[in-house]
Amino acid sequence: MTDVARLAGVSHQTVSRVLNGHPNVREQTRLRVQAAITELGYRPNRAARALVTGRSQVIGVVAQNTTLFGPASLLTALEQAAAEAGFAVSVGSVSDLDHQSISAAVERHLAHRVAGIVVIAPVESAGEALGRLPKDVPLVTVDGDPRRPIPLVTVDQVAGARAATQHLLDAGHRTVWHVSGPPDWFDSAGRIEGWREALRSAGAEAPPLIPADWSAAAGYRCGQMLARIPEVTAVFTANDHLALGVLRALHEHGLRVPDDISVVGFDDVPEAAYFIPPLTTVRPDFAAVARASLDLLLAQIESSDVAGPLRQTIAPSLVARRSVGAPPRR
């Protein structure tokens, strides 16, 4: 900072004001300091800054070590949102979202003096660990347990599933079958609830739930079964990978999508537009979830008395493609 001040012809305090975005700096002076910073390749020492201000510029994130599209997309969106707010992200990956793993990851973050912690906690096993975390740590959960009094930001799974199911009903189908995700995931539970709500509102009978995991292989197995049930004309799967497996199974049984059976997924993975046929699906706004999570966390960091709601749901959107049509005439 001394070198920057000398090159720009200003005081050390003026350089500090520019770095911290202080309003009481003339624009010409600010530009001169920024030019000196660029010329010297200066970067603030985050560790020293934390000692002076009492606040780190690093946010700790706890996430399961997974390649699943939803959690991986949320992690990427969180890193981008944090960078835009001037924060770095330290990721603590865990193999399981249980009490021991989450607690250990949080302790590692706290040892590095992070400003706050975001936990991507989409499964029930994470609930106990979150309930035992220190109360004075700024904390936000993403896709966590809605029953716990912990700040939470989540995709509105119920609304998304309701929209997917209603889209199929609006196409003329008498009912919609559902291939669900794992029972211990909050995302899965919300999508089941939304599916049932839409059928109930339409006065349609709910077929038996078909449980699965999140994989295309599970979708393929479920699709083999669905292909043998003549009454099936519409299927809503809990994610796009399940839909991919269902599409493959239906094709092998000589059933055409959407002529014989319509299919809707959830997540809008990048490949969904290139399935055969292109998949109608529900698109979560991961960027909006990340921004809301960061805003809620920064509000806690700035003040222990946080105004506004501590729980936010972000609405997804339906993306209509060519995998939905009218039911066949039988």
Side-chain angles (χ1 to χ4, degrees):
M1 286 180 68
T2 302
D3 294 337
V4 171
R6 185 182 300 114
L7 181 60
V10 298
S11 67
H12 182 280
Q13 289 83 1
T14 298
V15 175
S16 178
R17 290 191 188 99
V18 171
L19 289 171
N20 289 292
H22 199 282
N24 295 335
V25 179
R26 286 172 26 181
E27 185 62 22
Q28 187 177 21
T29 301
R30 188 186 307 279
L31 292 173
R32 196 162 68 246
V33 170
Q34 289 172 342
I37 289 171
T38 301
E39 184 174 340
L40 293 173
Y42 171 75
R43 292 183 180 179
N45 185 320
R46 293 188 183 275
R49 199 174 196 182
L51 290 172
V52 173
T53 64
R55 191 181 87 177
S56 166
Q57 292 297 113
V58 179
I59 290 171
V61 176
V62 178
Q64 189 172 22
N65 184 14
T66 178
T67 57
L68 287 173
F69 179 75
S73 298
L74 279 170
L75 180 56
T76 300
L78 279 168
E79 290 177 317
Q80 293 174 344
E84 291 170 2
F87 283 79
V89 168
S90 174
V91 180
S93 296
V94 296
S95 56
D96 295 297
L97 287 169
D98 56 19
H99 171 62
Q100 183 176 356
S101 300
I102 291 177
S103 297
V106 168
E107 286 302 321
R108 289 194 297 271
H109 282 318
L110 294 179
H112 289 88
R113 298 171 61 90
V114 296
I117 295 175
V118 176
V119 181
I120 301 175
V123 297
E124 292 183 1
S125 59
E128 180 185 355
L130 295 174
R132 295 185 183 181
L133 294 181
K135 303 301 181 185
D136 59 343
V137 177
L139 173 70
V140 171
T141 59
V142 178
D143 284 351
D145 189 343
R147 299 164 298 186
R148 291 187 176 271
I150 300 173
L152 168 68
V153 180
T154 183
V155 172
D156 193 335
Q157 312 291 349
V158 176
R162 196 164 49 228
T165 307
Q166 189 62 51
H167 184 68
L168 288 162
L169 293 172
D170 289 344
H173 297 275
R174 296 179 62 183
T175 191
V176 177
W177 293 67
H178 181 47
V179 179
S180 74
D184 59 336
W185 281 65
F186 300 119
D187 293 4
S188 179
R191 293 169 197 180
I192 292 172
E193 183 181 346
W195 164 69
R196 285 180 171 150
E197 278 187 8
L199 293 179
R200 187 165 51 248
S201 296
E205 183 177 352
L209 181 71
I210 303 176
D213 55 32
W214 296 120
S215 69
Y220 177 76
R221 291 191 296 271
C222 295
Q224 293 278 356
M225 180 182 65
L226 289 166
R228 295 183 173 93
I229 304 175
E231 295 82 11
V232 175
T233 66
V235 179
F236 164 48
T237 65
N239 77 349
D240 292 348
H241 288 100
L242 286 168
L244 177 60
V246 168
L247 291 174
R248 167 71 181 270
L250 296 179
H251 173 74
E252 290 184 356
H253 281 264
L255 295 168
R256 298 165 299 168
V257 176
D259 296 351
D260 298 311
I261 297 179
S262 293
V263 179
V264 175
F266 202 113
D267 276 345
D268 195 26
V269 299
E271 300 83 6
Y274 301 95
F275 288 2
I276 299 175
L279 183 67
T280 295
T281 185
V282 176
R283 178 187 295 162
D285 192 341
F286 295 120
V289 171
R291 288 192 299 269
S293 302
L294 198 67
D295 288 345
L296 191 52
L297 186 67
L298 293 180
Q300 294 179 62
I301 293 170
E302 296 291 345
S303 172
S304 58
D305 183 20
V306 180
L310 295 180
R311 193 152 301 179
Q312 297 185 43
T313 55
I314 307 298
S317 57
L318 183 79
V319 181
R321 296 193 178 103
R322 300 209 306 270
S323 64
V324 173
R329 295 181 179 179
R330 292 175 180 169

